Amino acid sequence: MNILLTGASGQLGSELYPLLSELGNVTAVDRDPGRMGSISQDLSDLNSCEILLNRLRPDLIVNTAAYTAVDQAENNRLSAFRLNAELPACLGQWGANNQCTLLHFSTDYVFDGSAKRAYRESDSTRPINVYGDSKRAGERAIQASGCQHLIVRTSWVYSTHGKNFLLTMLRLAGQRSELGVVSDQTGCPTWARNLARAAVQLLQAMQSEHKWDEYGGVYHYCDSTVTTWYDFARMIFNQAVELGLLQTMPVLNAIQSSDFPQLAERPRFSVLDTGTVRERFGIIPADLTWSLEECLKDYQP
């Protein structure tokens, strides 16, 4: 199988690359050509992107490229929509015209956070910031394209590279003796490696069963532990001290979202229901304690 992986140097793309390499010939595309021998490509240039697709002729496109700067998106709506909506639309249309499957990743931020239970795939979306709005537009564009596709929504992704909450907390712990962390936002931190494994397992199951008309569409995957940013930070520091990555824990103070104003409003509750991937495909979300420890073992300050 000829596979095109976009955003290959990101935290998810880096985890997907070795797994996809077991399925076929992977061409990695990213703005940074030095990672994994990837092709340098500005994916916001849709004309060049289509030229690349026509040259490579992939059987499978795995799209992890995204505009993920949630606050910056508020003032850069066009840039966010170019990568998060127009690029997926381009990939989906090309896939529909060329019998190519598309695996795309979306976010819990397509929901408004007002639910009292975990969000199911069938629940109505109502994003409350530009980032979530652009990701919802990307989902809809792929669905409208008619291509054979899987859209995997996830939440609170972390790893030992890229930009994420885990690395921010470890950096701040080395700079400050006391930190305030938001305690009124609830979600499920998800290790990028677990997400990559689950997505590939889902893809393989779909391809082996050849039931795209029946089962293709949107799925939720996140790791199993429901927590807050404050409690997640506490777990990070506890495990980092145990592993010798930090000498001491900073003092942690629980604060409210209103005490930490940001340009983009965040959902207060964005837990995703993973019952469908559990029941239909036997994919069991991993526990945060184990996942965080395994992730931190790879950490190099």
Side-chain angles (χ1 to χ4, degrees):
M1 184 162 54
N2 192 19
I3 303 169
L4 173 63
L5 172 64
T6 69
S9 68
Q11 55 182 346
L12 178 56
S14 297
E15 298 291 352
L16 279 165
Y17 185 84
L19 301 178
L20 294 172
S21 296
E22 298 177 5
L23 304 182
N25 177 43
V26 180
T27 300
V29 175
D30 201 278
R31 287 192 175 191
D32 180 5
R35 295 293 298 273
M36 306 173 191
S38 60
I39 295 174
S40 179
Q41 176 71 43
D42 180 3
L43 294 170
S44 65
D45 184 343
L46 301 183
N47 290 331
S48 295
C49 185
E50 188 166 359
I51 291 171
L52 181 68
L53 289 167
N54 287 328
R55 178 165 65 86
L56 296 175
R57 309 297 301 179
D59 305 299
L60 168 66
I61 300 170
V62 180
N63 182 40
T64 72
Y67 188 106
T68 58
V70 177
D71 288 312
Q72 293 177 26
E74 294 297 305
N75 293 324
N76 293 280
R77 184 180 181 88
L78 292 179
S79 297
F81 269 78
R82 177 59 63 91
L83 274 179
N84 294 346
E86 294 176 31
L87 174 63
C90 175
L91 299 177
Q93 193 59 60
W94 193 90
N97 294 337
N98 294 275
Q99 294 75 54
C100 172
T101 300
L102 173 60
L103 169 59
H104 175 75
F105 294 86
S106 191
T107 174
D108 55 325
Y109 278 29
V110 299
F111 298 111
D112 65 6
S114 64
K116 304 301 182 184
R117 56 156 176 79
Y119 283 99
R120 304 184 183 111
E121 290 89 344
S122 58
D123 286 335
S124 298
T125 56
R126 185 180 174 273
I128 57 176
N129 54 47
V130 171
Y131 167 70
D133 196 17
S134 67
K135 293 296 288 185
R136 180 177 66 171
E139 291 184 7
R140 289 177 171 177
I142 291 170
Q143 292 166 334
S145 73
C147 76
Q148 185 169 277
H149 66 271
L150 287 171
I151 298 170
V152 180
R153 291 185 186 136
T154 191
S155 66
W156 295 21
V157 179
Y158 67 90
S159 74
T160 56
H161 51 270
K163 295 181 179 180
N164 57 70
F165 183 80
L166 168 67
L167 295 183
T168 298
M169 289 298 102
L170 292 175
R171 174 176 56 81
L172 291 176
Q175 299 172 350
R176 305 178 190 176
S177 59
E178 187 171 351
L179 293 171
V181 180
V182 170
S183 62
D184 60 350
Q185 295 175 24
T186 301
C188 297
T190 302
W191 186 21
R193 188 168 301 171
N194 291 338
L195 174 59
R197 289 169 175 164
V200 170
Q201 186 177 343
L202 179 61
L203 177 67
Q204 289 177 302
M206 292 292 292
Q207 290 180 321
S208 65
E209 294 181 15
H210 300 290
K211 293 184 177 180
W212 289 94
D213 290 341
E214 183 177 356
Y215 292 144
V218 178
Y219 290 93
H220 288 174
Y221 177 86
C222 57
D223 287 344
S224 62
T225 304
V226 178
T227 189
T228 66
W229 290 119
Y230 170 81
D231 288 322
F232 184 27
R234 186 163 48 83
M235 290 183 68
I236 291 170
F237 295 140
N238 280 332
Q239 292 204 13
V241 169
E242 290 180 7
L243 292 170
L245 299 173
L246 293 175
Q247 291 186 344
T248 58
M249 276 187 61
V251 175
L252 270 183
N253 298 313
I255 64 173
Q256 299 297 297
S257 298
S258 57
D259 298 325
F260 187 66
Q262 296 172 290
L263 284 175
E265 184 181 359
R266 267 67 169 178
R268 295 296 181 92
F269 180 86
S270 58
V271 176
L272 300 178
D273 188 320
T274 57
T276 302
V277 295
R278 289 172 181 264
E279 296 165 11
R280 188 172 294 170
F281 301 102
I283 296 172
I284 306 300
D287 170 75
L288 174 58
T289 301
W290 173 86
S291 301
L292 181 58
E293 181 179 0
E294 291 300 303
C295 178
L296 285 172
K297 289 177 181 178
D298 292 338
Y299 177 69
Q300 296 181 348

